[in-house]
Structure formats: C-alpha cells, structure tokens
Amino acid sequence: MMKFAKYSLPILFLVFIGTSYLFDYASGEQIGGNFWLFFKEMILFLPLMFILIGLFDVWIPREKIEKHIGEDSGWKGTFLVVLMATLQAGPLYGAFPFAYLLWKKGCNIRNIFIYLGAYSTIKVPMLTFEIGFLGLKFSLLRTLLTLPIFIILGFAMEKYLKGKKFEVKQP
C-alpha cells in the first residue's frame, strides 16, 4: 500500500491527462501538451548537461575553484561567478547541479547564491530576447537593480549560514 501512495500523484496526473484527451477537455489537453514539451526538453538537455558537469568535475581541480571563487576570493570571485553565470545558457534547473559541483569543489557559499541569482536573471541569451522585446533601457535598468540584490543576498546567506556544517554526500 505504501508503494502506491508514493506514486499516487503521478498516477493521478496521468489519469487526468488521459481522461482529458478521452473527453476532449481542452485545459487538460493543454496541460498534457505542455508537460510533453517540457519532458522532451529535459530528456534532450539533461544527458548533455550531466556529461559537461562530469567533464568539469574531472578536468578542473579543487585548488583552482578554491583559489578563484573560494573563501578568500573576495570581489574577484563575485565578479567571476557573475561572469560565469552570464555566459552560460540553458534552463534554470541546469544551474543547480553545477552549483552543487562548485560547492563540492570549494566555492564560497556566498558565490553559490550569487551564481544562482545571476544565472536566473542575466544570462546573455535571455538578455538578447529581453532587449529585443522590452528594449535596452529596460534590460539595463533591470540588471542594475537585480544584480546588487543578489550580491547582497549572497552576503546575507553567507552570514546566516556561517558556522553551519553541511555534508557533501558522495554517491
């Protein structure tokens, strides 16, 4: 009975989608179509992302990460993680495994939060679309407002989490 409870929500979702197509319920069909598009994107994106993260894990030594974006990196480390996040592409769920790898290799927790914030708001591919639709002035203003907020949040999270021990679980 416990195994069914564990999978009951996905099963109910699939039943809802199936009955939506059976009874021609437009909202359910749209939900199913959106789910299928997202699922295909993830299936195509995730294997490549994990290969690249694995190569990064093997090729970049811990000492390099600690030196450039670790505890003693200061503002140079903040600049580097913002630059790294800006130059990357892909959906936001791709940033979390990479952020975990950075943390595992010795990146400062402040820089992890700054990286995630910058990744979610100022990636070059996203900025080009934003400039095309909303204009350069809007994009610059939004970037100049959001980036300092993420930097302040990174420092605040570093202060809040200081002294707390987190285990890196090895698979």
Side-chain angles (χ1 to χ4, degrees):
M1 184 65 177
M2 286 299 280
K3 284 190 176 192
F4 178 74
K6 183 177 179 181
Y7 299 110
S8 61
L9 193 58
I11 290 170
L12 286 172
F13 176 75
L14 292 175
V15 167
F16 170 73
I17 298 302
T19 55
S20 295
Y21 280 101
L22 186 65
F23 293 109
D24 202 29
Y25 180 59
S27 296
E29 290 175 359
Q30 185 177 6
I31 291 169
N34 290 341
F35 174 77
W36 179 246
L37 287 174
F38 182 71
F39 181 76
K40 285 192 309 188
E41 176 187 310
M42 283 186 62
I43 291 299
L44 294 172
F45 178 75
L46 284 177
L48 178 62
M49 182 193 68
F50 283 126
I51 289 170
L52 291 174
I53 287 174
L55 291 173
F56 181 86
D57 191 17
V58 172
W59 287 346
I60 308 296
R62 180 181 176 93
E63 296 77 31
K64 291 262 189 211
I65 299 294
E66 288 176 343
K67 177 183 174 187
H68 295 291
I69 56 176
E71 290 295 326
D72 299 325
S73 63
W75 287 101
K76 179 186 80 165
T78 301
F79 174 75
L80 286 174
V81 294
V82 169
L83 182 65
M84 184 171 35
T86 302
L87 296 176
Q88 288 181 306
L92 183 59
Y93 58 80
F96 291 106
F98 188 69
Y100 173 75
L101 179 63
L102 288 175
W103 179 64
K104 187 176 96 170
K105 286 193 166 270
C107 183
N108 188 342
I109 194 79
R110 165 189 35 140
N111 288 334
I112 297 291
F113 282 102
I114 294 169
Y115 165 78
L116 289 172
Y119 188 91
S120 67
T121 57
I122 60 171
K123 294 182 296 200
V124 169
M126 189 176 85
L127 285 175
T128 57
F129 281 109
E130 185 177 280
I131 291 169
F133 287 107
L134 301 171
L136 180 62
K137 185 177 177 182
F138 175 85
S139 291
L140 285 175
L141 183 62
R142 188 196 55 76
T143 300
L144 291 174
L145 289 173
T146 56
L147 189 57
I149 290 171
F150 286 121
I151 292 172
I152 290 168
L153 283 173
F155 279 94
M157 292 304 292
E158 178 184 43
K159 186 174 181 178
Y160 175 73
L161 296 172
K162 193 158 192 95
K164 295 191 167 115
K165 297 289 183 190
F166 299 101
E167 290 182 30
V168 177
K169 295 184 180 182
Q170 300 295 333

